[in-house]
Amino acid sequence: MEMYFCSLYSGSSGNALFCQYGDTRLLIDAGKTGKNLEEALGKIGVPPETLSGILITHEHSDHILGAGVMARRFHLPLYATQETWRAMAGKTGRIPGELIRTVQSGKDFWLGEIGVEPFSIPHDAADPVGYRLWGGNISISTATDLGEFTDDVYDHIAGSTMVLLESNHDPDMLRANPHYNAQLKARILGDHGHLSNEACAGALLRLISGGTRHLLLGHLSGENNTPALARRVSETAMLREGISPGQDVLLSVALRDETGDIYMLKETE
């Protein structure tokens, strides 16, 4: 059987990822309006009412903006940690009790036919998590909004078939940005902020050494990065180590405001 994955949106202006295995379809985050999310799902031929649920990584608006609307409109369960539920209070509108699901970092569970493993990430939120999703012997991991790529994060996602990893910003572009104050710049550059292109490239090399061959750069900043720059930094790091992008590994960029390609990952014998 195959596992399907698509980035509907990935960036500082909104995040939503789609995954399917068998008859189970889910979103990771819902950080655009309900209308935007319905339109994006329509582009890939997925009626919203066929979703099995929405996994929430943390409470920041670019990850939950449309979560309440989607849950109520299509009766979709929302999955989040207890602290994230507390931090989301008042931001999603009232969520019916039967749609509230609580998850815990380090404790995996089944959502239909998909195995779900939440893991802690270093970010300035109440209890932020990334997710590793399993279907047969395929696994897809998503890790964005992390200030550093820790050994703990690596341990949870190493060996994944595909990884979407944050490549948020170019530090020089960020420092020179006249629209960001010193406090915001320090937050982004800090250990609980966002991963730079260079830090992402170093993390990708570790993941490649662990067997991952499908890599997707995500959560790019609209002001402090470009898709071409993010890709170039990672490709340069790979070439330096004798790794050929496009031949040894598949490297792509998830765009901020554009629904991406649908990736079909097949189980191995």
Side-chain angles (χ1 to χ4, degrees):
M1 198 152 56
E2 301 85 19
M3 180 174 269
Y4 298 90
F5 182 80
C6 179
S7 171
L8 304 181
Y9 301 101
S10 182
S12 50
S13 59
N15 298 272
L17 310 170
F18 170 80
C19 184
Q20 176 175 344
Y21 181 77
D23 293 327
T24 303
R25 294 172 164 181
L26 56 85
L27 291 183
I28 300 177
D29 289 329
K32 287 283 194 176
T33 67
K35 180 181 179 181
N36 290 153
L37 294 167
E38 287 185 59
E39 290 175 349
L41 288 166
K43 290 178 182 178
I44 62 172
V46 175
E49 61 271 17
T50 66
L51 294 173
S52 304
I54 302 174
L55 302 172
I56 301 297
T57 60
H58 63 290
E59 73 274 9
H60 292 166
S61 62
D62 59 325
H63 294 262
I64 66 167
L65 181 64
V69 170
M70 294 292 287
R72 289 185 292 273
R73 184 174 296 166
F74 301 107
H75 203 71
L76 304 176
L78 295 182
Y79 295 77
T81 68
Q82 186 64 55
E83 291 302 314
T84 297
W85 274 113
R86 291 193 182 101
M88 287 196 299
K91 297 181 179 181
T92 59
R94 182 183 177 277
I95 305 299
E98 68 271 17
L99 300 181
I100 294 175
R101 305 285 192 275
T102 301
V103 307
Q104 185 174 337
S105 174
K107 290 194 174 181
D108 56 357
F109 62 95
W110 288 97
L111 202 170
E113 296 173 83
I114 296 179
V116 181
E117 180 187 353
F119 56 91
S120 293
I121 56 173
H123 191 52
D124 57 352
D127 186 18
V129 296
Y131 288 101
R132 185 166 183 166
L133 309 178
W134 298 85
N137 59 19
I138 307 166
S139 66
I140 297 174
S141 294
T142 66
T144 65
D145 298 76
L146 61 166
E148 60 176 332
F149 188 72
T150 63
D151 290 341
D152 185 63
V153 171
Y154 173 77
D155 289 343
H156 279 96
I157 69 177
S160 298
T161 312
M162 171 179 269
V163 173
L164 184 149
L165 186 66
E166 178 172 53
S167 190
N168 178 257
H169 63 274
D170 173 80
D172 291 335
M173 289 179 67
L174 173 59
R175 292 187 182 99
N177 190 332
H179 304 123
Y180 284 32
N181 61 36
Q183 182 178 3
L184 178 56
K185 291 177 182 180
R187 171 188 171 264
I188 294 171
L189 292 166
D191 290 344
H192 288 77
H194 292 278
L195 213 61
S196 70
N197 291 338
E198 290 79 5
C200 174
L204 293 185
L205 294 179
R206 290 188 67 185
L207 291 169
I208 292 168
S209 70
T212 299
R213 292 295 178 266
H214 296 263
L215 301 161
L216 193 56
L217 309 181
H219 210 291
L220 274 65
S221 167
E223 292 196 42
N224 306 306
N225 209 355
T226 68
L229 178 58
R231 179 191 286 271
R232 184 165 68 248
V233 171
S234 284
E235 286 182 341
T236 298
M238 291 179 193
L239 291 169
R240 192 183 302 125
E241 297 298 320
I243 301 165
S244 177
Q247 185 173 347
D248 298 325
V249 298
L250 174 65
L251 178 68
S252 303
V253 180
L255 300 180
R256 298 173 65 249
D257 294 305
E258 185 176 327
T259 301
D261 295 330
I262 300 175
Y263 296 91
M264 182 180 72
L265 306 176
K266 293 185 178 182
E267 291 188 58
T268 55
E269 297 295 335

